[in-house]
Amino acid sequence: MAKSRVQFLCNHCGSVHPKWMGKCPDCGTWDSLEEYKAPAPDARAQARSAATQTGDVLRGAEPLTLQQIDESDTPRFASGITEFDRVLGGGIVPGSAVLVGGEPGIGKSTLLLQVAHELSKERKPGARSQKSEEIQHVRSASADGGIQHSAFSNQHSPQHPALSTQHSSRVLYVTSEESARQTKLRAARLGVASEGLLVLAETNIERIINQIHKVQPAVVVVDSIQMIYKPQIPAAPGSVTQLRDCCMDLVYLAKASGIAILLVGHVTKAGTLAGPKIVEHIVDTVVYFEGDRFHSHRIVRCVKNRFGSTHEVGLFEMTGAGLREVRDPGNLFVEQYGPGGQPSGSVITAAMQGSRVLLVEVQALTASSVIGAAKRKVSGASSDRVAMIIAVLEKRAEMRLAADDVFVNVAGGVKVAEPAIDLAIALAIASAHMNRPLAPGTFAVGELGLGGEIRTVPQLEHRLREASRLGLGHAIVPHMGGSIPKLGGMALHEVRRLSQAMSDL
Ligand code: TYD
Ligand code: MG
């Protein structure tokens, strides 16, 4: 038998190296390489020749032209939790693998148990009409210009065993972290009790797969992927080798059977999945929980999606009875300061999160510091961007900030990556520095250029409409030369330069 090849995998970026090194040459992380034994080559060769003998090679998919591929063949299960479906791009695609990541205690198990419950609910075995209601045929993803490809895109009419009516109601919830009893307690708290939801407390991947074959569920939840292991591999659960192999096995199973698999993965403090990026590469969709345990609101964001756009976010609120959907965020993330209006250093802005507008409050504080050791601390926005904005304020608005500590925070634990909030950050810092607040009901959107110019932002009208709906009456916006539609009661201050915007302070 040929010797299996030993390789070293970085548990941070997933790159493969022939020998161990102290530092990963690709991502620069120290002490991140772990031993990985690739399957022996002759085992693969054997499998290949066996496939040839059984005619598997001949039965394989035929190449098709794009016109021949029917995109409407991508059916989806609506999970019944609209915010979760929105993140996934319209529902769960049969045969897909979804990774749900997040810090411990953020609500992954809670959400997935609720999703599992909704999926297993009310669908009566054999009720054909009901099934056809539940499975929506999704139209082409014209919004992002891509072609909706399914895992079975090379087959004309996917008819998977898991999709046949008698199996479509079952959901298998594999709990590898908690005991079945703990899951039962959580379920009781969430008011979850449906016939079609089966709980399996197991950590051995082979036994899990065996049970999946037996139960034939439509959806399997594995909570969490870091705790399951393959007995043949001499590595601890959660190690690169175990993660990669267990994840691969589950994804192959999903593709071959049409069963959708939802995997839970923990993330490290730095915000990446604990384990290699490889897991992200293997699955079809990756969603992350944002926010923190100290706020009740949770944002579920899609970072990779083979079946839809990655812009969408889902909003939830953690309550005593599980996660509740927030359909209309309104001014959830904006503090209501009452008649006195906002204090200095606080600026409201309208950020786009997928297809919807979220009003958020950018707060800044400046405090005198030891000269030469000024701190810049940012949470919820990009610190590089804030450093740039501070430089623009210094250079183009003659504001002396070198001797000040600057703190910038997006309130409510929201993270906004858009440059459209630049103007709000600049105004918040300037307002804090000069101790002059903006007039009540004012909000600002705009991207800041290095020359101090205010650039236009996408979907300005959409943002203005939402702000107007929520009662904001004064907008500081980039200059558009009168092409901004007049919204009832909204006063617009169109600005070309940062200095013009600062005249509002
Ligand atoms: P959990 O879903 O177990 O988080 P994860 O699986 O991501 O580690 O639970 C998250 C937290 O939510 C936990 O601290 C308890 C709290 N919680 C509620 O506030 N309400 C509830 O109904 C439930 C089930 C949990
Ligand atoms: Mg959990």
Side-chain angles (χ1 to χ4, degrees):
M1 199 183 109
K3 240 178 88 194
S4 65
R5 210 149 43 93
V6 176
Q7 294 172 320
F8 293 86
L9 242 77
C10 170
N11 63 21
H12 188 251
C13 68
S15 57
V16 184
H17 305 281
K19 61 180 174 50
W20 190 88
M21 280 168 275
K23 183 181 178 184
C24 171
D26 286 359
C27 67
T29 316
W30 285 97
D31 197 21
S32 64
L33 297 197
E34 281 182 34
E35 190 177 306
Y36 172 74
K37 270 206 181 82
D42 63 344
R44 271 189 239 156
Q46 267 173 11
R48 215 175 301 139
S49 66
T52 324
Q53 279 158 16
T54 55
D56 252 16
V57 170
L58 298 175
R59 279 209 305 271
E62 296 288 325
L64 301 170
T65 64
L66 287 174
Q67 282 78 14
Q68 284 173 303
I69 303 170
D70 186 1
E71 65 219 345
S72 66
D73 265 349
T74 314
R76 294 185 189 235
F77 298 102
S79 73
I81 297 185
T82 325
E83 290 293 303
F84 189 62
D85 290 339
R86 173 206 287 274
V87 182
L88 298 182
I92 300 168
V93 178
S96 70
V98 180
L99 176 69
V100 179
E103 287 172 26
I106 196 129
K108 301 179 294 295
S109 308
T110 309
L111 176 66
L112 288 182
L113 193 56
Q114 286 179 288
V115 168
H117 168 64
E118 291 293 334
L119 282 169
S120 61
K121 222 169 56 176
E122 80 200 21
R123 257 182 268 168
K124 294 182 196 76
R128 246 215 117 72
S129 57
Q130 205 150 5
K131 180 202 156 216
S132 50
E133 273 171 34
E134 298 262 339
I135 295 182
Q136 306 171 344
H137 283 269
V138 180
R139 276 163 283 116
S140 80
S142 47
D144 49 29
I147 291 166
Q148 285 264 342
H149 54 205
S150 87
F152 336 109
S153 54
N154 47 10
Q155 300 175 15
H156 283 291
S157 52
Q159 197 54 61
H160 289 274
L163 282 181
S164 65
T165 352
Q166 64 268 37
H167 302 304
S168 64
S169 61
R170 289 212 208 118
V171 176
L172 182 65
Y173 190 99
V174 181
T175 160
S176 58
E177 283 184 353
E178 299 174 347
S179 65
R181 212 174 144 259
Q182 279 172 304
T183 306
K184 163 83 191 174
L185 289 176
R186 186 197 299 272
R189 187 171 172 186
L190 300 173
V192 167
S194 66
E195 292 275 298
L197 176 59
L198 301 168
V199 177
L200 171 70
E202 184 59 80
T203 49
N204 181 326
I205 184 80
E206 285 173 353
R207 289 194 216 142
I208 292 172
I209 290 180
N210 182 32
Q211 286 298 335
I212 295 174
H213 284 307
K214 253 199 225 159
V215 175
Q216 286 288 328
V219 178
V220 176
V221 177
V222 179
D223 183 4
S224 69
I225 183 80
Q226 271 111 342
M227 283 296 283
I228 60 174
Y229 72 99
K230 206 171 183 175
Q232 297 92 322
I233 300 174
S239 64
V240 175
T241 321
Q242 288 283 9
L243 267 175
R244 183 175 156 134
D245 278 47
C246 292
C247 198
M248 282 282 207
D249 284 2
L250 287 170
V251 173
Y252 281 142
L253 174 77
K255 302 286 175 220
S257 64
I259 298 171
I261 300 211
L262 306 176
L263 304 167
V264 170
H266 294 294
V267 299
T268 58
K269 279 214 182 75
T272 53
L273 191 76
K277 274 257 182 258
I278 280 177
V279 178
E280 286 190 15
H281 298 320
I282 299 171
V283 297
D284 300 302
T285 306
V286 181
V287 300
Y288 276 124
F289 264 91
E290 258 176 34
D292 51 53
R293 284 186 291 147
F294 312 107
H295 289 97
S296 63
H297 291 104
R298 306 277 190 273
I299 295 179
V300 178
R301 189 186 297 278
C302 185
V303 294
K304 168 184 175 180
N305 196 351
R306 288 195 183 138
F307 305 111
S309 104
T310 52
H311 305 301
E312 290 299 342
V313 296
L315 283 173
F316 294 94
E317 184 183 1
M318 182 60 95
T319 67
L323 287 163
R324 194 176 59 80
E325 295 178 62
V326 181
R327 301 259 172 97
D328 179 15
N331 31 22
L332 196 65
F333 297 104
V334 177
E335 178 67 45
Q336 305 298 309
Y337 288 108
Q342 292 140 253
S344 62
S346 156
V347 176
I348 298 170
T349 186
M352 293 302 302
Q353 300 278 312
S355 55
R356 85 181 141 186
V357 181
L358 214 58
L359 284 197
V360 292
E361 183 180 335
V362 179
Q363 300 177 329
L365 183 69
T366 60
S368 50
S369 148
V370 185
I371 295 187
K375 284 198 274 277
R376 275 90 177 86
K377 297 282 179 207
V378 184
S379 81
S382 147
S383 30
D384 289 343
R385 205 82 204 161
V386 171
M388 183 209 92
I389 293 167
I390 292 173
V392 174
L393 280 168
E394 291 241 359
K395 216 55 188 164
R396 311 285 173 196
E398 274 137 36
M399 192 165 284
R400 302 296 309 149
L401 291 164
D404 281 349
D405 288 340
V406 179
F407 302 92
V408 173
N409 175 37
V410 179
V414 198
K415 288 196 186 89
V416 188
E418 273 197 301
I421 68 160
D422 287 357
L423 181 59
I425 296 175
L427 286 176
I429 297 172
S431 157
H433 187 69
M434 300 191 291
N435 199 16
R436 286 212 294 263
L438 279 176
T442 306
F443 80 104
V445 273
E447 183 181 335
L448 189 61
L450 289 182
E453 77 278 13
I454 308 296
R455 298 166 166 272
T456 56
V457 297
Q459 312 205 40
L460 184 58
E461 186 184 339
H462 198 23
R463 295 175 207 249
L464 290 173
R465 277 192 199 288
E466 180 68 5
S468 157
R469 185 179 76 85
L470 297 168
L472 296 177
H474 186 216
I476 308 176
V477 292
H479 185 83
M480 302 274 282
S483 62
I484 308 173
K486 289 276 166 285
L487 297 175
M490 169 87 70
L492 294 181
H493 182 194
E494 293 187 47
V495 293
R496 286 178 202 272
R497 310 201 58 79
L498 180 58
S499 49
Q500 279 175 287
M502 281 173 57
S503 65
D504 272 305
L505 287 172

